[in-house]
Amino acid sequence: AQSVSQHNHHVILSEAASLELGCNYSYGGTVNLFWYVQYPGQHLQLLLKYFSGDPLVKGIKGFEAEFIKSKFSFNLRKPSVQWSDTAEYFCAVKFYNTDKLIFGTGTRLQVFP
Amino acid sequence: ETGVTQTPRHLVMGMTNKKSLKCEQHLGHNAMYWYKQSAKKPLELMFVYNFKEQTENNSVPSRFSPECPNSSHLFLHLHTLQPEDSALYLCASSQDGQGQFFGPGTRLTVL
């Protein structure tokens, strides 16, 4: 079955620390990959996406993600987090030729000043 | 303002009530979606509409009934719900699979 895994459920960091959130998906075919962020009390927002081309994609607010096809992974990174990055982060995968977007369970990030 | 609006933002209903959730997108997208977001669970896709035609029904119970009168509007009609249906219901839209834009959601409580 198609599935998306986010292994880090809760991450706590100090400001300026580096961040990497893991995302793996189960299917081996063509996929489109997304990271969404949900700030406290706000709606889900698209952070970045990968469709094709350069496997290192840059998103808003200094975030980037790297698609590694051989590992079925799309990890999210940020070199130096800020308190304002406190939010929940969701990885999502759209499998080829469907309208379905499969989400991971989310990772709650807390950044302390 | 996200371009996707949802009303009401909060709804409390009894198990015998009938209510409807409304979603409107102002982005000119051709696809709209209903999701259910429960605590500690992945976001669950419920329904997908593409050019007003339903293309996905993710085994959703019949007490949830979607309606898509045009590409800009999507409704979710609710009746005889159960307490376990309490959740945040999110609407989203997209154009040709280019990433979905989400509304703020309706927080539903079933008593």
Side-chain angles (χ1 to χ4, degrees):
Chain A
Q2 298 163 346
S3 65
V4 178
S5 299
Q6 291 181 245
H7 304 294
N8 316 103
H9 297 295
H10 191 187
V11 173
I12 301 173
L13 294 173
S14 299
E15 274 193 318
S18 65
L19 170 72
E20 180 159 3
L21 302 182
C23 174
N24 289 88
Y25 62 96
S26 61
Y27 182 67
T30 303
V31 293
N32 294 340
L33 301 158
F34 306 84
W35 275 98
Y36 285 85
V37 60
Q38 190 170 28
Y39 297 103
Q42 294 190 28
H43 59 274
L44 274 165
Q45 299 173 44
L46 183 64
L47 202 53
L48 49 77
K49 62 186 178 184
Y50 171 81
F51 280 22
S52 64
D54 188 346
L56 185 63
V57 292
K58 299 208 183 283
I60 59 172
K61 305 187 181 187
F63 285 91
E64 64 179 32
E66 185 176 12
F67 170 49
I68 303 179
K69 191 174 180 180
S70 60
K71 295 184 178 180
F72 305 121
S73 71
F74 189 55
N75 291 355
L76 181 71
R77 300 195 292 247
K78 186 169 183 178
S80 176
V81 293
Q82 300 172 310
W83 175 79
S84 57
D85 293 323
T86 294
E88 190 145 17
Y89 292 81
F90 295 91
C91 179
V93 179
K94 180 180 175 301
F95 296 92
Y96 178 71
N97 222 23
T98 78
D99 290 325
K100 292 174 73 167
L101 197 60
I102 309 293
F103 281 81
T105 50
T107 297
R108 185 173 168 225
L109 171 66
Q110 278 184 291
V111 180
F112 288 96
Chain B
E1 181 59 52
T2 65
V4 180
T5 57
Q6 289 185 243
T7 54
R9 296 291 307 275
H10 299 271
L11 178 62
V12 179
M13 60 187 287
M15 289 191 283
T16 57
N17 292 156
K18 285 186 181 182
K19 296 286 183 185
S20 295
L21 309 185
K22 180 183 174 183
C23 175
E24 184 173 359
Q25 59 100 354
H26 314 275
L27 302 167
H29 290 167
N30 59 2
M32 295 186 78
Y33 310 78
W34 279 118
Y35 287 88
K36 178 182 178 183
Q37 188 176 28
S38 305
K40 299 183 181 177
K41 284 187 176 181
L43 213 60
E44 298 172 55
L45 178 67
M46 299 175 73
F47 300 103
V48 181
Y49 278 82
N50 214 319
F51 291 106
K52 302 188 301 176
E53 301 296 321
Q54 188 179 124
T55 57
E56 292 278 350
N57 177 337
N58 215 24
S59 304
V60 180
S62 60
R63 56 186 185 270
F64 294 91
S65 173
E67 179 191 357
C68 188
N70 55 60
S71 295
S72 299
H73 293 85
L74 185 64
F75 295 89
L76 188 62
H77 303 299
L78 317 170
H79 74 101
T80 59
L81 294 194
Q82 305 297 311
E84 59 265 27
D85 296 322
S86 299
L88 182 68
Y89 288 85
L90 293 169
C91 174
S93 71
S94 72
Q95 179 69 28
D96 300 328
Q98 292 291 318
Q100 294 178 19
F101 288 78
F102 284 82
T106 295
R107 174 70 61 187
L108 174 67
T109 304
V110 181
L111 301 176

